Amino acid sequence: MRYVIRVAYDGTDYCGWQVQPNGVTVQQRLQEAVRAAFGADASVTASGRTDAGVHALGQVCHLDIPNSIPGERLADALNAHLPDDIGVLASAQAREGFDANRSAKRKTYRYSLYFSSRRNPLLDRYAARTEGKCDIDALRRAGALFVGEHDFAAYCSSGSQVKTTTRRVYSVTAERRGELVDIYVCGGGFLYNMVRTMAGTMLWYSLGKLTEEDILTTLKEGRRSLVGKTMPAKGLTLMSVEYSPDPFSV
């Protein structure tokens, strides 16, 4: 029987999502929990892979297990065998044909920054520190340039193997949250390191290191030399994945 789960995790101590031979991953821990809870091996398929150090509040996954259990109880069964930095927030029996990866319509990521001349250990685990003053209006102006369908080749790490680098971005916003500044990016799909590089480009624009014309040129000509730096993984969180219909609705 196929089930769908919504998972949150602190990615600090993991080598990303996908099982690999050289380090512990989130997928590995979830599959170990399935084995411990049900005595069965199952592949846990996510909406998409997150990189080492990236966090999630709303990662969505599906899994097939031979056992029959009420969908809403699966979360508790798995949580009993998961470490403190991974938790299943919701679970349900999946509708016929549901695939956490292929059925996804939109994803929203958050990139968190804080502006300080000194490191704050209470912020530093989930946000990237930068010096200078925050110009949130400038961050918003830069973000607006990414909205729409563009070729994001300049925002993709070299060596990535994808059929096309064209992606549609639905919205980019910047908001204050106490001492933090959060950049939210919603899109149909993302290239490897795309959001982290977009955040770095927005930051450089806000600090006067790039112009609007520079950013537009990166989208038109794919010029990597004009984008900002790829920001550290620790500031990135997968907030939500959207489907139609909602796989968790009754």
Side-chain angles (χ1 to χ4, degrees):
M1 186 172 292
R2 176 159 294 188
Y3 294 89
V4 56
I5 58 175
R6 181 181 294 117
V7 184
Y9 48 85
D10 179 333
T12 304
D13 298 326
Y14 294 98
C15 296
W17 163 263
Q18 190 172 22
V19 169
Q20 57 178 276
N22 300 319
V24 179
T25 68
V26 179
Q27 184 186 39
Q28 174 187 335
R29 288 294 185 239
L30 281 164
Q31 292 178 173
E32 289 171 349
V34 173
R35 190 178 307 115
F38 301 106
D41 290 324
S43 176
V44 179
T45 300
S47 66
R49 292 176 290 179
T50 52
D51 299 329
V54 174
H55 317 293
L57 182 62
Q59 175 70 280
V60 176
C61 314
H62 76 254
L63 63 152
D64 299 319
I65 56 175
N67 309 64
S68 179
I69 180 175
E72 67 277 8
R73 291 180 56 194
L74 179 64
D76 292 331
L78 295 179
N79 284 335
H81 301 281
L82 286 169
D84 291 342
D85 51 8
I86 302 175
V88 179
L89 304 182
S91 60
Q93 185 175 333
R95 293 184 174 88
E96 184 176 356
F98 176 81
D99 185 291
N101 180 269
R102 296 189 178 120
S103 302
K105 302 298 183 185
R106 299 186 182 193
K107 298 178 184 178
T108 298
Y109 281 91
R110 181 185 72 199
Y111 197 87
S112 298
L113 304 160
Y114 71 101
F115 291 75
S116 175
S117 60
R118 297 181 179 87
R119 186 176 67 86
N120 183 332
L122 296 184
L123 300 178
D124 211 52
R125 190 175 180 91
Y126 304 110
R129 182 181 69 86
T130 186
E131 296 189 6
K133 294 183 178 180
C134 173
D135 185 341
I136 197 163
D137 290 330
L139 288 173
R140 290 167 177 162
R141 288 195 300 272
L145 301 176
F146 294 120
V147 175
E149 187 172 272
H150 303 286
D151 186 345
F152 285 93
Y155 295 83
C156 179
S157 293
S158 60
S160 296
Q161 297 180 346
V162 291
K163 293 181 179 179
T164 176
T165 51
T166 298
R167 295 291 186 273
R168 176 168 292 279
V169 172
Y170 296 106
S171 65
V172 182
T173 60
E175 302 175 7
R176 293 186 186 275
R177 179 168 56 100
E179 298 179 68
L180 297 170
V181 172
D182 294 325
I183 295 170
Y184 291 90
V185 183
C186 175
F190 298 96
L191 301 168
Y192 181 54
N193 281 347
M194 178 175 157
V195 176
R196 290 161 59 189
T197 308
M198 288 172 63
T201 300
M202 293 169 64
L203 175 62
W204 278 24
Y205 172 82
S206 74
L207 297 175
K209 296 181 179 182
L210 293 172
T211 66
E212 287 191 18
E213 187 59 34
D214 290 333
I215 297 175
L216 292 172
T217 299
T218 66
L219 298 173
K220 293 175 182 176
E221 301 178 10
R223 291 176 60 182
R224 179 76 181 178
S225 61
L226 294 178
V227 304
K229 68 176 181 178
T230 300
M231 300 296 288
K234 64 181 180 179
L236 187 63
T237 301
L238 173 59
M239 298 298 290
S240 62
V241 186
E242 297 177 44
Y243 300 86
S244 182
D246 179 358
F248 296 97
S249 63
V250 178

